[in-house]
Amino acid sequence: MRNLLLDDDRPSVRKGIADAVNGVCGPLPKTTRTPVEVFVSFFWSTLSSLLPQTFDQPQNSQQLFELALLLLRAMGQGLRDELDLASYVRQWSHLLLSHKHEEFVGRDTLDFIALGFTNLLRWAIQVAKSLKKPLATGHLLEDLFSTHLFPDLSPSEEDRKLVPRIPVLQSQTRREMYSVIVSLSQNTESYQKLLGLVKELVPQGGYFPAWSCGVAQTSKDYEYESNWNYDRSKMIRSSTGYPGIRNLSNTCYLNSLFTQLFMNVSFRGFMLEANIADGDGSQRLLSETKKLFAYMQSTWLKCVDPQGVAESIRTYDSEAIDVSIQMDVDEFYNLLFDRWEGQILSEEAKKKFRSFYGGQLVQQIKSKECEHISERLEPFSAIQCDIKGMATLQESLTAYVEGEVMEGDNKYSCTSCGRHVDAVKRACLKDVPDNLIFHLKRFDYDVNSGMRSKINDRFDFSEQLDMAPFNVDRLSDPGSDTSPDLFELVGVLVHSGTAESGHYYSYIRERPVSPSQVETWVEFNDADVSRFDPSKIPDQCFGGLNDPLQNTTFPQLRFHKAWNAYMLFYQRISSIEKMRAPTKLGYPVEFPVSLDLYNHIAMENELFIRKYCLFDPAHAPFVRSLLDQLRYLGKGSCSEDHSTEKEVIWLALEHIDQVISRTKDIPDFDPMMTLLGKVIGTCADCCKIALDWVSGHPHAMRNLLLRSTTPKVRQDFAKMVLTALQYLRRKDSRLYGLDIQEAQGGSTDDEWTEVDGAFQNIVRRLRDLLVVIQAHARAWDDYFGLLAEMANSGAPEASVILREGFLRKCLEILIIDSSGGRTLKPNQNLLKLLEKGRKYSHNKLIELVRVLLSRIDLLEAPTKEEFDERTHNNGMFPLTEREESYIRYGSDNPRAKSLIFLDRMLSLNHNSVAATGVLELMLRAEPNFGLLGQIYKTIMNGVAIDPASLAGPYLQAGITLCEYSPSAPEAKEMVSRTARDVETIDGHGGREHLEFFSRVRRVRNMRFTRNSYYFDRLVLEKMPDWAPPLLLYWEESVRNDTLALLRRLVFDHDINSVDDVDTVNLLWHTARELCLNCLKRIKATYIQEQQQAEAKAIECIIAVVKHCLETYFEAENAKDRRLLRDAEIILEELGTLTVEEADDAVSEGWDMSSNPPSDPDFTTLDLPSP
């Protein structure tokens, strides 16, 4: 059985045997005499004895474990008495804990032994529990947790190499292990032990090191933003085993070159062994390079931060490089090697450094008329290859060494012969290093235009290159028999884009490899690293025209590919063969580094992998099961001291803050918040525990309410806080902090006594966040919305929030952006952001102002400051002097056009309901508050705004003014001026103005008049002013709705049946004046300007004019006859300017039976009967 199920390396054989055994242990034909239980018992006995032997063949054990689990389940169904569960659990636990899990971080590999024994243990423990059989599991819970799920961090020892402990990373296995652990924590003691283990995992505080963002940081600490939308698959190094390099802004040129150099393991080894005497000073670049290479070979994170390297590079002008500006990678290569060489201490080390990529050229002039040759040696670090007019690298190199003929006027002066001779000037290779870099000159400069351009022509290069034909020895004696000097392509640095902008990335061949390994290539593209198929090099690197067969969208479209090779890296074959193979097959080469640096990287790896495991998909459900288990253990009731409840509630909240709310798409957030709500929603003490965590963890409140990028997180967290407070308010006033005696007998005067409790703690924590609120624009509605809901709970809550200065702060924010408000020197950070164009939603801030002002008696004498005790009268409080000054701000300035804070609320138009609610509260305090004139001025200035489409919120405020003003003149002038201003709106705000008139006519102001039709008549009187412009408005719906409103106001009334003389006169006079103004409007707009009129645009105003002429003018009256004749002339002239016929339904006459639009804003005007 072992040979077939374990030792055989063929998966198909192992699977076939497992299927066969499973077949005979399932339902058998009725003719079979042997019971199936016999087969199950036999095979179980055989397989259970093989389980310890899986350690000999771990990679072949999958089928054996799967079959063993099936057989164990079969045994549990009918042969439970034969199962020695206690022995199995004891044996399997020992085997699982003794198993040394090995895994290459970044490669999702399944550990069959870990998963297999975990599955068997889980099932055995469940069966034992169902049978109520005791199990002596010892310390299995703690040991399994600290061995395979979250190994203890390695102790820091100065003189010993730290060996990072790798947990099981595969999610399926971790999920099963969590299930085993939960099943072992079925009593209070084991449950509390488990809570203690999990509690130590969650990081505390608001600082997030670079590794938490998937970035290995090589230099001094920089502040990193906390992770949101965390995708752990994008935080770990790629399966290739290499990290990428973070792009600092435009540093892809640096990244692509450094990866090429790093993957040359000989060069990497030399740099890591470099002698550093002054790493913080004269050798900083060399020191930072060592750190970068050390991290690149050892980190488990996705990418390495090159900030330290970039900061330590100086240009030829001794200035730091600007990471926001792209550099030519060839120029950067020369600069980098020059700076490196300058920091290497010994001459011997410098010589070796130059030998990696540096060689010697011979600049040769050879006479064609004599035997004399002039030679000059020059060093080179890269060979410059022309590609313009060249098809291949071989052709370019041939042209490079062929040189140019010097003849005619350009003959060479041979000093040996003393005469001018024909000669050949050329460059030959003399000393060729093991590593060659070819710079392909793809950028060209046009002298005439002064512009750079990129040459995207096709340029081929071979996988193998013989450099012997270009050596000076071969060229001096072409007939000589010299050995080939073979190089192989090991890297391509690609440029994608134009001469002015683009992107660099690299394809690199892994080396060294063992003879049995297949050649592999890796693509390094900034932080992203992946496998690359070298067969795609021609398509991805040669340039030239695209392949139309690959363009499925536009198969006929041909274009020059903008991505092509810019630098080629070749290595001598003999050098490659000398390099040592990796110590472990499939693992990248690592060179030794200093103990301190190695241990620092190892510790970062351990910390990172712990966070990586916290974000495993199985971890959040595990924590949720702990929270759910609290209710199971307590059997529906809480412990007396609530110590266990506190631990698990705090643990859940910490995971919500640090883990669950930060994951991409937050899949576990809603289930966890729902369960947490159930736990704390039935017990006042549990509510207080949750609120104490919120108020006691300043970073948590800021994270969940302000920083989170997910609206649902912010909204649900605020809802949780509010729900918990409301529960405490009902159930336990002592814990809540406000002992409220509800008013009796219809009185609204609640009384309360205050003790320091949950409500005050939350308010103070929210107050502390005010200093950073400007940094979290997206969270303003969540933050101020929570405060508004809390303040709306009642006068006691409002008193606490007022005391903490929130009304003052909100008023300050509203006036800060005004020219006058800046002189108050409020929150300068907010002011700077506003000046830079940062946008904020003031929706809930205005609502908070409304709620708080509803608890303010504006006529009470103000107190000195917020912290002064505000005595309340019937639940109403006075303002502070500063709050009152903010409300009145602008009123004492004779040049001021408005009340700043009121104007700001209205102009923002973020919450018109709350803004008009604030206005209502202010108007109710008039005239004694003394701001009625300024309120009127503020609104009217806004109504006159240009463009008029922005006047909407001011028009709504005008309606509120009409409804609550204590004085008729302001209200009357509000309607009159608005009616006159319609003439000037010029195609903007027509809908807003029409809505104003349709709503204001229904206003009933009982403060200055008992006439319920006051505004009806006022709108009717001013109709000749506002109606004609709206009847010619460009928007058809506005014209039609204006017509419908006119019907209700005037035309639906039969004046012959109205008995009241005043009403008849008003209707008669208004309709006649409306008709005349419409004719004036037509004459001024079309006839005087000879402007063409579209029939559809004028049909409403023509219908009004015709109806008025027929109904309200008498042909018997001489004056009316003249008016009728003038009107007829105007309409005839208008007809000649009309571009198309009007609709018969409107142009032919007035249909009194037609139904007006069903707009809820339009109601029939009921004029009073006489």
Side-chain angles (χ1 to χ4, degrees):
M1 184 67 74
R2 169 173 175 148
N3 292 337
L4 295 172
L5 264 180
L6 198 58
D7 293 336
D8 199 299
D9 291 330
R10 294 168 296 177
S12 58
V13 173
R14 299 196 303 272
K15 185 178 186 306
I17 295 300
D19 291 343
V21 172
N22 186 38
V24 299
C25 292
L28 297 175
K30 295 181 179 180
T31 56
T32 305
R33 296 182 179 182
T34 306
V36 68
E37 289 80 7
V38 174
F39 291 106
V40 171
S41 178
F42 169 77
F43 283 113
W44 170 247
S45 176
T46 304
L47 259 65
S48 61
S49 65
L50 287 179
L51 290 174
Q53 300 175 41
T54 54
F55 285 80
D56 301 332
Q57 296 283 1
Q59 72 279 2
N60 293 350
S61 61
Q62 179 182 6
Q63 291 77 22
L64 191 151
F65 276 113
E66 291 174 350
L67 181 58
L69 182 61
L70 290 172
L71 291 174
L72 180 60
R73 288 175 174 173
M75 291 286 292
Q77 292 176 359
L79 300 169
R80 292 188 175 187
D81 294 338
E82 296 184 21
L83 289 175
D84 187 356
L85 294 174
S87 175
Y88 292 150
V89 169
R90 186 167 54 253
Q91 180 190 23
W92 296 338
S93 298
H94 172 73
L95 291 170
L96 178 58
L97 295 175
S98 63
H99 171 56
K100 292 185 178 180
H101 171 73
E102 293 184 3
E103 187 167 348
F104 186 86
V105 176
R107 297 173 185 166
D108 191 15
T109 53
L110 187 60
D111 185 332
F112 298 122
I113 290 181
L115 178 61
F117 280 119
T118 302
N119 280 332
L120 291 171
L121 272 173
R122 181 175 64 84
W123 201 89
I125 292 170
Q126 288 177 351
V127 172
K129 285 173 60 179
S130 66
L131 297 176
K132 297 183 179 180
K133 289 186 176 181
L135 289 176
T137 57
H139 299 288
L140 176 60
L141 184 152
E142 302 98 304
D143 293 342
L144 181 57
F145 190 91
S146 59
T147 300
H148 290 308
L149 286 174
F150 293 96
D152 295 334
L153 297 177
S154 302
S156 179
E157 299 182 23
E158 295 182 358
D159 57 346
R160 180 179 297 182
K161 191 174 182 180
L162 189 151
V163 180
R165 302 176 183 180
I166 304 176
V168 172
L169 299 179
Q170 211 274 332
S171 292
Q172 179 187 356
T173 307
R174 293 185 68 85
R175 184 178 294 107
E176 298 301 323
M177 288 183 174
Y178 281 134
S179 297
V180 170
I181 287 175
V182 170
S183 67
L184 293 173
S185 60
Q186 298 301 306
N187 57 64
T188 304
E189 181 182 358
S190 60
Y191 181 69
Q192 289 178 337
K193 285 182 181 179
L194 182 55
L195 292 180
L197 292 170
V198 180
K199 182 181 179 181
E200 295 178 0
L201 303 176
V202 185
Q204 302 295 320
Y207 172 69
F208 294 85
W211 54 260
S212 70
C213 303
V215 180
Q217 196 166 318
T218 62
S219 53
K220 64 182 181 180
D221 287 340
Y222 299 92
E223 190 69 25
Y224 272 75
E225 285 293 326
S226 54
N227 300 61
W228 300 103
N229 294 314
Y230 190 99
D231 184 351
R232 73 180 199 137
S233 66
K234 295 181 179 179
M235 299 297 170
I236 199 167
R237 73 180 178 190
S238 75
S239 59
T240 64
Y242 303 106
I245 303 179
R246 177 172 170 254
N247 194 325
L248 302 177
S249 178
N250 278 308
T251 54
C252 56
Y253 64 92
L254 181 151
N255 298 346
S256 57
L257 180 60
F258 263 85
T259 50
Q260 291 283 358
L261 300 175
F262 168 79
M263 292 295 282
N264 184 337
V265 293
S266 299
F267 181 79
R268 186 204 317 171
F270 171 81
M271 297 298 283
L272 289 172
E273 293 171 359
N275 181 23
I276 304 294
D278 184 16
D280 294 327
S282 61
Q283 290 182 290
R284 186 184 173 194
L285 174 57
L286 207 56
S287 174
E288 293 292 345
T289 302
K290 287 186 68 170
K291 292 177 187 176
L292 183 70
F293 280 0
Y295 269 91
M296 289 181 71
Q297 72 176 7
S298 300
T299 188
W300 295 345
L301 282 73
K302 178 180 177 65
C303 64
V304 181
D305 190 343
Q307 183 81 39
V309 167
E311 288 182 349
S312 59
I313 300 174
R314 291 294 179 269
T315 67
Y316 294 116
D317 295 327
S318 299
E319 296 179 353
I321 63 172
D322 188 344
V323 297
S324 66
I325 298 177
Q326 180 83 273
M327 283 184 68
D328 182 277
V329 70
D330 179 61
E331 295 175 4
F332 176 70
Y333 163 71
N334 292 320
L335 172 68
L336 180 63
F337 270 66
D338 178 75
R339 293 298 184 248
W340 269 337
E341 184 176 348
Q343 295 186 11
I344 295 174
L345 297 178
S346 71
E347 288 301 321
E348 182 181 353
K350 287 186 178 183
K351 183 178 179 181
K352 184 175 181 181
F353 171 76
R354 288 192 293 266
S355 70
F356 280 102
Y357 290 97
Q360 280 194 319
L361 289 172
V362 177
Q363 291 293 349
Q364 189 181 77
I365 301 178
K366 184 178 181 182
S367 173
K368 298 174 72 174
E369 300 178 15
C370 62
E371 296 181 355
H372 298 134
I373 299 175
S374 172
E375 292 184 337
R376 186 180 77 254
L377 294 178
E378 287 185 3
F380 74 87
S381 56
I383 299 175
Q384 307 295 316
C385 296
D386 289 319
I387 65 169
K388 195 170 185 178
M390 307 290 176
T392 66
L393 177 61
Q394 189 81 18
E395 184 179 341
S396 181
L397 289 174
T398 301
Y400 184 78
V401 298
E402 281 181 350
E404 59 176 314
V405 177
M406 303 174 70
E407 58 186 4
D409 293 337
N410 193 32
K411 283 190 174 187
Y412 170 65
S413 178
C414 179
T415 56
S416 299
C417 297
R419 63 191 177 94
H420 288 81
V421 296
D422 292 344
V424 175
K425 182 181 180 181
R426 66 185 181 185
C428 311
L429 300 177
K430 181 173 177 60
D431 296 325
V432 181
D434 286 340
N435 304 280
L436 279 176
I437 298 177
F438 297 98
H439 170 222
L440 310 186
K441 296 161 70 174
R442 286 198 174 273
F443 296 137
D444 195 16
Y445 181 77
D446 189 331
V447 178
N448 295 323
S449 66
M451 300 287 290
R452 294 177 76 220
S453 61
K454 185 181 177 187
I455 303 170
N456 290 314
D457 297 346
R458 183 179 177 92
F459 186 81
D460 294 14
F461 47 87
S462 58
E463 182 180 349
Q464 195 171 94
L465 182 65
D466 183 7
M467 293 301 295
F470 313 108
N471 191 281
V472 65
D473 296 332
R474 171 75 70 86
L475 291 169
S476 299
D477 186 7
S480 63
D481 185 16
T482 56
S483 302
D485 189 9
L486 297 179
F487 285 73
E488 284 188 349
L489 181 70
V490 294
V492 183
L493 195 154
V494 177
H495 178 270
S496 176
T498 67
E500 301 304 325
S501 65
H503 179 60
Y504 292 104
Y505 51 95
S506 282
Y507 301 126
I508 308 174
R509 173 180 159 186
E510 281 191 282
R511 57 204 190 278
V513 294
S514 64
S516 60
Q517 282 183 280
V518 178
E519 177 185 310
T520 56
W521 283 67
V522 181
E523 177 182 353
F524 288 86
N525 193 339
D526 287 338
D528 297 319
V529 183
S530 59
R531 289 289 174 199
F532 176 70
D533 183 357
S535 67
K536 295 181 180 180
I537 286 179
D539 178 60
Q540 297 296 316
C541 304
F542 286 179
L545 292 171
N546 69 309
D547 184 354
L549 296 178
Q550 295 182 359
N551 191 345
T552 57
T553 307
F554 302 101
Q556 305 303 320
L557 185 62
R558 300 298 302 274
F559 56 86
H560 275 92
K561 291 183 284 189
W563 57 95
N564 33 58
Y566 189 67
M567 294 179 80
L568 304 177
F569 294 77
Y570 281 82
Q571 187 170 357
R572 187 173 274 121
I573 292 179
S574 60
S575 170
I576 296 175
E577 292 173 348
K578 289 178 183 177
M579 296 165 64
R580 64 184 179 88
T583 55
K584 191 170 184 179
L585 194 64
Y587 283 60
V589 175
E590 284 195 32
F591 287 91
V593 297
S594 68
L595 184 62
D596 288 345
L597 180 56
Y598 177 86
N599 284 348
H600 181 78
I601 297 172
M603 180 56 72
E604 271 197 6
N605 285 339
E606 283 195 334
L607 291 170
F608 165 73
I609 212 66
R610 172 166 286 197
K611 180 168 184 176
Y612 181 80
C613 291
L614 282 175
F615 282 86
D616 185 274
H619 186 74
F622 162 66
V623 176
R624 193 167 67 246
S625 69
L626 294 180
L627 184 61
D628 195 35
Q629 203 165 355
L630 174 68
R631 300 192 300 170
Y632 166 78
L633 289 174
K635 297 180 180 179
S637 60
C638 297
S639 62
E640 187 173 345
D641 61 357
H642 279 78
S643 59
T644 303
E645 287 77 8
K646 178 179 179 180
E647 262 196 85
V648 71
I649 290 173
W650 280 32
L651 182 68
L653 286 166
E654 284 162 359
H655 273 80
I656 290 172
D657 174 29
Q658 296 292 324
V659 181
I660 296 173
S661 66
R662 299 170 186 269
T663 55
K664 185 180 180 181
D665 301 327
I666 54 170
D668 299 292
F669 180 77
D670 197 50
M672 179 64 90
M673 291 295 287
T674 301
L675 181 58
L676 181 63
K678 291 179 180 178
V679 170
I680 67 176
T682 55
C683 172
D685 288 297
C686 289
C687 262
K688 182 64 164 53
I689 287 170
L691 292 172
D692 283 348
W693 180 87
V694 173
S695 59
H697 292 71
H699 295 294
M701 174 76 88
R702 185 175 181 182
N703 289 337
L704 294 170
L705 190 61
L706 300 184
R707 277 179 169 159
S708 176
T709 58
T710 307
K712 181 173 178 56
V713 170
R714 303 193 302 271
Q715 294 163 8
D716 285 9
F717 174 73
K719 182 179 178 182
M720 183 206 77
V721 172
L722 184 64
T723 303
L725 287 172
Q726 291 172 341
Y727 184 86
L728 279 187
R729 191 182 201 270
R730 297 192 306 270
K731 299 296 184 180
D732 196 319
S733 59
R734 176 184 57 84
L735 296 177
Y736 183 57
L738 294 166
D739 187 6
I740 304 168
Q741 292 83 45
E742 300 288 347
Q744 302 295 325
S747 171
T748 60
D749 190 8
D750 291 344
E751 293 295 335
W752 65 90
T753 55
E754 186 174 344
V755 294
D756 204 37
F759 189 86
Q760 290 86 348
N761 292 337
I762 294 296
V763 172
R764 282 193 289 266
R765 183 59 61 212
L766 290 168
R767 178 204 60 198
D768 294 341
L769 293 180
L770 273 172
V771 296
V772 297
I773 190 65
Q774 71 279 349
H776 306 286
R778 61 176 160 237
W780 273 38
D781 281 350
D782 305 296
Y783 174 80
F784 289 108
L786 174 59
L787 280 163
E789 292 287 349
M790 292 168 62
N792 207 30
S793 299
E797 290 80 2
S799 70
V800 176
I801 293 173
L802 284 167
R803 185 178 65 219
E804 296 299 335
F806 282 99
L807 178 58
R808 172 183 59 80
K809 187 65 179 180
C810 290
L811 294 173
E812 182 181 282
I813 290 172
L814 287 171
I815 67 174
I816 190 177
D817 200 25
S818 65
S819 57
R822 302 180 191 204
T823 62
L824 300 176
K825 296 183 180 180
N827 189 325
Q828 293 299 313
N829 292 328
L830 175 58
L831 185 56
K832 289 177 182 177
L833 290 171
L834 288 170
E835 290 173 343
K836 291 180 179 179
R838 179 73 65 89
K839 301 297 182 183
Y840 297 90
S841 171
H842 294 68
N843 177 10
K844 295 300 181 180
L845 182 147
I846 297 172
E847 174 65 17
L848 176 59
V849 171
R850 185 199 66 79
V851 173
L852 293 177
L853 281 180
S854 70
R855 293 293 176 179
I856 293 293
D857 185 347
L858 294 174
L859 302 181
E860 280 286 324
T863 62
K864 291 290 182 183
E865 292 297 338
E866 289 89 358
F867 50 79
D868 288 352
E869 188 65 30
R870 302 199 203 200
T871 57
H872 75 96
N873 181 16
N874 198 27
M876 303 296 287
F877 303 87
L879 290 168
T880 66
E881 290 180 349
R882 188 181 298 185
E883 290 166 352
E884 185 178 39
S885 71
Y886 286 168
I887 290 176
R888 294 181 179 275
Y889 196 77
S891 64
D892 55 352
N893 185 349
R895 293 187 176 182
K897 295 183 177 179
S898 61
L899 291 173
I900 302 299
F901 106 94
L902 177 60
D903 183 61
R904 180 68 171 158
M905 281 196 305
L906 295 175
S907 64
L908 286 168
N909 197 23
H910 288 177
N911 189 336
S912 59
V913 174
T916 53
V918 171
L919 176 60
E920 176 189 338
L921 294 170
M922 296 176 66
L923 289 169
R924 288 183 181 277
E926 297 299 333
N928 295 334
F929 196 51
L931 288 180
L932 181 58
Q934 286 77 12
I935 291 173
Y936 168 74
K937 188 185 295 186
T938 300
I939 296 173
M940 286 313 305
N941 287 335
V943 170
I945 197 171
D946 187 22
S949 56
L950 302 178
Y954 294 96
L955 290 167
Q956 293 182 47
I959 297 171
T960 303
L961 174 69
C962 293
E963 186 171 4
Y964 296 103
S965 172
S967 171
E970 285 79 6
K972 182 176 181 180
E973 187 62 18
M974 177 76 225
V975 177
S976 300
R977 277 192 59 181
T978 303
R980 293 195 299 270
D981 286 348
V982 176
E983 180 76 22
T984 64
I985 64 175
D986 293 332
H988 300 282
R991 169 60 61 189
E992 290 80 2
H993 282 77
L994 178 60
E995 184 178 349
F996 169 80
F997 294 112
S998 65
R999 288 180 56 193
V1000 78
R1001 70 186 184 86
R1002 297 197 299 270
V1003 164
R1004 304 291 183 263
N1005 187 323
M1006 307 304 291
R1007 298 187 68 184
F1008 63 74
T1009 179
R1010 295 292 178 180
N1011 184 351
S1012 59
Y1013 299 100
Y1014 178 84
F1015 288 101
D1016 288 329
R1017 289 182 174 272
L1018 189 56
V1019 171
L1020 181 60
E1021 289 174 4
K1022 301 303 176 182
M1023 183 177 66
D1025 293 332
W1026 59 262
L1030 297 179
L1031 286 169
L1032 282 178
Y1033 195 71
W1034 64 270
E1035 190 176 347
E1036 183 180 3
S1037 63
V1038 172
R1039 299 195 303 269
N1040 290 336
D1041 290 347
T1042 301
L1043 183 59
L1045 180 57
L1046 294 181
R1047 289 180 186 175
R1048 289 176 168 83
L1049 287 171
V1050 182
F1051 305 136
D1052 284 350
H1053 295 279
D1054 182 2
I1055 59 175
N1056 295 321
S1057 62
V1058 177
D1059 297 329
D1060 182 64
V1061 175
D1062 291 340
T1063 300
V1064 171
N1065 289 337
L1066 177 61
L1067 291 171
W1068 186 274
H1069 174 75
T1070 302
R1072 287 171 62 89
E1073 190 174 353
L1074 171 64
C1075 179
L1076 295 175
N1077 284 358
C1078 286
L1079 288 169
K1080 290 178 183 178
R1081 187 82 179 177
I1082 291 171
K1083 188 174 182 179
T1085 304
Y1086 297 106
I1087 296 175
Q1088 290 178 356
E1089 300 294 329
Q1090 287 296 291
Q1091 177 72 36
Q1092 283 190 338
E1094 293 184 10
K1096 200 170 188 64
I1098 60 175
E1099 60 185 2
C1100 288
I1101 196 167
I1102 290 176
V1104 168
V1105 169
K1106 288 184 175 181
H1107 179 72
C1108 289
L1109 291 173
E1110 294 172 1
T1111 308
Y1112 303 104
F1113 290 83
E1114 298 175 350
E1116 296 80 8
N1117 184 292
K1119 185 177 180 181
D1120 282 2
R1121 279 200 303 274
R1122 288 195 299 272
L1123 291 174
L1124 289 168
R1125 187 166 56 250
D1126 292 342
E1128 184 178 356
I1129 293 171
I1130 292 173
L1131 292 178
E1132 286 178 359
E1133 290 189 46
L1134 179 63
T1136 63
L1137 296 172
T1138 304
V1139 295
E1140 63 181 47
E1141 292 294 326
D1143 185 16
D1144 291 342
V1146 178
S1147 61
E1148 289 182 359
W1150 182 269
D1151 183 3
M1152 295 299 293
S1153 64
S1154 61
N1155 294 321
S1158 57
D1159 190 328
D1161 282 343
F1162 296 134
T1163 58
T1164 302
L1165 172 64
D1166 296 320
L1167 291 175
S1169 301

